[in-house]
Each structure stands twice: as C-alpha cells, then as structure tokens.
C-alpha cells in the first residue's frame, strides 16, 4: 500500500475506542457485585452508553484506513500475509492462552483437546471478546469484494450519487438488524451446515450485521475532505441523536433493572444489533470523530495515540489483565469502603495501564509482533 499522510483523528480514535472497550468490560463485572445498588446501576448505565461506540468505531476505523491507503490495485497476497502476521498469529497465541486458562490458574493441554480448540479458534469462543476478531477477519477475507464494489460506485457517481449509495447501504443495514430474529428462524428451518450457524448461534460475529460501519469508514477514507465537511455540517443533527437516544437507552436500562425479585443490574436491552442502537452508534462515531478532531492538547493527543498504537495487543490481553486488576479490588477497595462505581473506575484504569504497558514491552522484542501485532517504534507525535 502506498504511504499517505496520516489522518490525524485516527490515532486518537483508536486510543479512545480501546479505552472504551476496557471500560465496557469493567462495567459488566461490577454490575454483578452484591454491593451495587440502583444508584450504581444508573452511573454504570450512563458510562456504558457513553462507551457503547467502541466496536463499531474500530470497524469504521478499519474501513477508513484500508480504503484511504489502498490504491486502484490490491496485492491480495501481500495484504493477507500482513494480516496473518499482525492479526491472526497473535489471535491464535492468545486463544491458546485463554483456552488453557481456568479459574484456578493454568490448566493442561493435550491432543484430545485439539478438536475443541479448533472449533473455538474458528468461532472465537476461547474467550468472550474474541467474537470481534472473527468478525474482523471476515472483512479482511472479503476486502477485495468490498474494494471492487465500493470503488465502482465511487468512480461511477459524483458526490450526490455516492451519498445516495451510502444511504441505501444504511437502510439495508437497518432492515438486517431489525430482521435479526426472523432471519435466524428462517435459517434454522433451512438447516444448512455452517451457514445456518452463521445466522443463529454465531450471528453476533457475522460481518453482515456490522457491514455498514465498514462501508461508512470506506466512504470516509475515499473522500476524507468531504467526510470532514459532513462531520462539521451535521454536528447539530448527530449530537441531538446521540443525546436523545443515549437518554432513551439509559431510561430503558432503568426499567430493565427492576425485576420482581428486586433490583438486578443487567444490560440486555442495549444489544449492538438493533435498528435504534445502530442509529445511536452511527451518531456516536460522528461525535467521537468530531471530538478527536477538536482535541489539540499535545499531551492528550500523544497519550491517546500511544494507546491506539498498542490497542490490538491490548485488546487481545485485556480480559486477562482485568482478572488481575480485580485483586486490588477484592483485597483493598472493598475494605476501604469504596462504592462499586469508584472501584470499577480504578479497576478499568489499572487494566488499561497493564494491557497497554505489557503490549508495549512485548513489542520491543524481535518476536513481539507474533504476540501483540505490529506496534510503531518510537513515540507518536502530531
């Protein structure tokens, strides 16, 4: 891929997205602690909605960067070779780590475990957050098709036609999200091996249910100037959508907490694959992009850029780092009388620090990219 000038917002956006991922998983843990009351549930729900954009933003960034950097011709072999070393190999390594990890510590591994391991590798089931890697790999595998289709639209139509194409893709996506259950029931009746599972058991990692964020990123990457113009022009619209739907989802979560047996903090209402959530997430992407563009503090930009540079390795290991981050909570924070929300924030910051720090340390050794992917050398500067 030819080198181009960096899109300045992307480095900060990666850091923001990764911090939001770790925050979401910290919230999920502390929503279950016995001490969490309704007041904690409200705060956790607000923080969850503010950080819900994380995975769609990562997909958007992937689409934007790939289409921004890829010329008219794609060397698919070289493209996939880089993804094999930078993405798939570290994924396999950490899948082995999580597969052999038990609540009591490190477990054994034998030849008899290979079939189970193979299935979990293909489906991303070795740990809860690897569904995203499986979905991401699908975009890499199908990138030539996306590239050909989207460039065909881009080369054939002017600005208005391209905008209509994006809107049509968005409408198709909203219909797909709305019909998730009906599609699953239809595929169950067909009972086609592998394909049925892709729309039922593993629908949450099927690229079709996330494709619009990738297409939106592609549109932004092909016309960065026009994308920035639309981000500026529509700021009042997407901010209103972001605030209105964010408040609505927070209210729905408050209703979900009220069970016959008492208050239970759960977050089933805010599934990623539903039409109203998709609209909220699209608005969230634009909000975060605008905020990243307005961030001019050199220290903040530098730190977010550094976090973004180690985000892939950090993503792979952060659930393990969270496990170790719970130790101070159990041994110190509870004894000190901290409320669950404060404990969650401290745990989140510790897990984020450990994930980023360990990724950076591993990346410094010659074989580090096989464990955490490629990490740029030196400090990221604007």
């Amino acid at each position: 891929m030819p080198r181009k000038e960096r899109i300045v917002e992307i480095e900060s956006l990666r850091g923001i997205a990764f911090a939001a991922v770790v925050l979401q998983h910290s919230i999920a843990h502390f929503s279950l602690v016995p001490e969490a009351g309704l007041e904690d549930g409200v705060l956790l729900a607000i923080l969850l909605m503010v950080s819900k954009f994380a995975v769609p933003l990562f997909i958007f960034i992937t689409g934007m960067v790939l289409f921004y950097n890829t010329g008219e011709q794609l060397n698919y072999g070289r493209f996939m070779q880089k993804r094999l070393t930078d993405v798939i190999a570290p994924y396999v390594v950490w899948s082995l780590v999580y597969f052999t990890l038990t609540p009591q510590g490190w477990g054994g591994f034998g030849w008899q475990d290979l079939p189970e391991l193979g299935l979990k590798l293909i489906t991303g089931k070795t740990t809860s957050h690897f569904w995203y890697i499986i979905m991401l790999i699908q975009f890499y595998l199908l990138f030539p098709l996306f590239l050909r289709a989207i460039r065909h639209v881009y080369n054939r139509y002017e600005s208005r036609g391209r905008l209509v194409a994006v809107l049509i893709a968005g409408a198709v996506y909203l219909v797909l999200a709305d019909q998730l259950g009906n599609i699953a029931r239809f595929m169950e009746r067909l009972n086609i091996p592998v394909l049925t599972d892709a729309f039922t058991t593993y629908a949450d990692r099927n690229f079709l249910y996330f494709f619009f964020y990738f297409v939106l990123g592609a549109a932004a990457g092909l016309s960065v100037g026009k994308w920035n113009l639309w981000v500026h022009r529509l700021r009042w619209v997407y901010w209103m959508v972001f605030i209105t739907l964010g408040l609505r989802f927070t209210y729905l979560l408050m209703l979900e907490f009220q069970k016959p047996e008492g208050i239970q903090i759960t977050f089933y209402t805010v599934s990623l694959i539903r039409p109203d959530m998709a609209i909220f997430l699209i608005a969230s992407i634009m909000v975060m992009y605008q905020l990243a563009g307005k961030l001019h503090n050199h220290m903040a930009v530098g730190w977010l850029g550094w976090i973004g540079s180690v985000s892939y390795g950090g993503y792979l290991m952060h659930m393990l780092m969270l496990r170790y981050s719970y130790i101070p909570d159990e041994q110190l924070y509870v004894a000190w009388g901290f409320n669950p929300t404060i404990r969650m924030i401290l745990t989140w910051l510790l897990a984020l620090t450990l994930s980023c720090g360990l990724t950076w340390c591993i990346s410094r050794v010659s074989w580090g990219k096989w464990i955490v992917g490629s990490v740029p050398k030196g400090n990221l500067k604007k």
Side-chain angles (χ1 to χ4, degrees):
M1 293 183 184
R3 288 191 174 275
K4 293 185 177 181
E5 183 181 351
R6 287 181 175 180
I7 304 171
V8 294
E9 292 85 359
I10 290 298
E11 294 174 1
S12 296
L13 283 172
R14 279 202 184 99
I16 293 170
F18 177 55
V21 166
V22 183
L23 178 59
Q24 286 186 47
H25 291 143
S26 303
I27 290 170
H29 173 81
F30 282 91
S31 68
L32 301 175
V33 299
E35 302 86 358
L38 180 59
E39 66 280 4
D40 295 299
V42 173
L43 291 172
L44 294 178
I46 293 171
L47 289 172
L48 178 65
M49 293 316 303
V50 170
S51 62
K52 198 68 180 176
F53 62 83
V55 165
L57 181 57
F58 267 132
I59 301 169
F60 170 86
I61 291 170
T62 299
M64 188 174 189
V65 170
L66 287 180
F67 276 83
Y68 180 72
N69 287 327
T70 304
E72 292 292 337
Q73 298 296 323
L74 171 69
N75 187 326
Y76 187 58
R78 186 178 301 170
F79 172 83
M80 284 307 300
Q81 182 182 23
K82 182 170 175 57
R83 272 70 209 170
L84 180 64
T85 57
D86 290 354
V87 177
I88 298 176
Y91 163 71
V92 172
V93 170
W94 284 98
S95 292
L96 289 170
V97 170
Y98 287 107
F99 185 75
T100 56
L101 192 62
T102 67
Q104 293 74 35
W106 300 101
F109 177 78
W111 292 107
Q112 71 278 4
D113 298 312
L114 283 178
E116 181 186 0
L117 174 61
L119 179 61
K120 288 188 173 183
L121 276 172
I122 294 171
T123 58
K125 285 282 190 176
T126 53
T127 186
S128 60
H129 64 297
F130 277 1
W131 68 271
Y132 167 71
I133 309 297
I134 296 302
M135 186 262 298
L136 182 66
I137 291 172
Q138 293 171 62
F139 282 115
Y140 289 145
L141 291 172
L142 297 172
F143 181 55
L145 298 180
F146 276 103
L147 183 65
R148 184 170 183 176
I150 293 173
R151 277 207 171 274
H152 173 75
V153 172
Y154 181 81
N155 293 331
R156 181 171 180 178
Y157 299 101
E158 298 299 325
S159 297
R160 188 181 297 274
R162 296 168 189 169
L163 177 59
V164 170
V166 171
L167 293 175
I168 291 173
V172 170
Y173 178 68
L174 293 178
V175 171
L176 271 176
D178 183 59
Q179 296 300 310
L180 174 68
N182 292 331
I183 294 171
R185 285 186 285 273
F186 175 73
M187 294 303 297
E188 280 180 342
R189 289 196 297 271
L190 291 181
N191 195 25
I192 303 172
V194 180
L195 192 60
T196 291
D197 288 337
F199 288 91
T200 53
T201 307
Y202 305 110
D204 62 341
R205 60 211 67 199
N206 185 331
F207 81 97
L208 286 174
Y209 292 116
F210 297 91
F211 85 90
F212 183 68
Y213 307 114
F214 187 79
V215 170
L216 188 64
L222 286 172
S223 300
V224 177
K226 283 190 170 58
W227 167 256
N228 289 334
L229 183 62
W230 281 109
V231 168
H232 176 72
R233 284 179 176 175
L234 298 176
R235 61 192 183 281
W236 298 110
V237 177
Y238 58 74
W239 268 103
M240 185 175 296
V241 172
F242 176 73
I243 293 170
T244 303
L245 287 182
L247 291 173
R248 176 177 177 270
F249 279 119
T250 303
Y251 172 73
L252 292 176
L253 286 175
M254 299 303 100
L255 296 179
E256 183 183 323
F257 294 166
Q258 302 175 43
K259 305 291 194 304
E261 57 274 20
I263 297 296
Q264 291 185 6
I265 302 173
T266 55
F267 301 114
Y268 301 119
T269 299
V270 291
S271 165
L272 284 176
I273 310 174
R274 48 182 290 175
D276 49 356
M277 177 57 72
I279 294 171
F280 172 73
L281 293 172
I282 293 165
S284 301
I285 288 172
M286 299 186 78
V287 165
M288 293 302 141
Y289 193 95
Q290 187 208 27
L291 292 177
K294 288 185 173 296
L295 189 62
H296 300 302
N297 181 282
H298 290 294
M299 181 175 292
V301 169
W303 275 110
L304 285 174
W306 180 74
I307 293 172
S309 72
V310 297
S311 59
Y312 184 63
Y315 183 87
L316 293 173
M317 70 175 69
H318 81 272
M319 291 298 281
L320 181 58
M321 296 302 103
L322 272 170
R323 178 182 293 197
Y324 292 116
S325 299
Y326 299 146
I327 296 174
D329 174 63
E330 296 164 356
Q331 296 185 358
L332 298 175
Y333 307 157
V334 175
W336 291 344
F338 291 168
N339 70 51
T341 303
I342 297 298
R343 289 159 52 191
M344 184 279 295
I345 292 173
L346 292 173
T347 300
W348 164 57
L349 291 174
L350 179 58
L352 181 63
T353 302
L354 290 174
S355 301
C356 293
L358 185 57
T359 297
W360 186 86
C361 290
I362 293 174
S363 73
R364 299 303 95 183
V365 299
S366 58
W367 40 264
K369 72 173 183 177
W370 299 97
I371 310 297
V372 296
S374 293
V375 175
K377 304 294 183 183
N379 206 11
L380 292 178
K381 299 289 186 182
K382 289 290 181 289

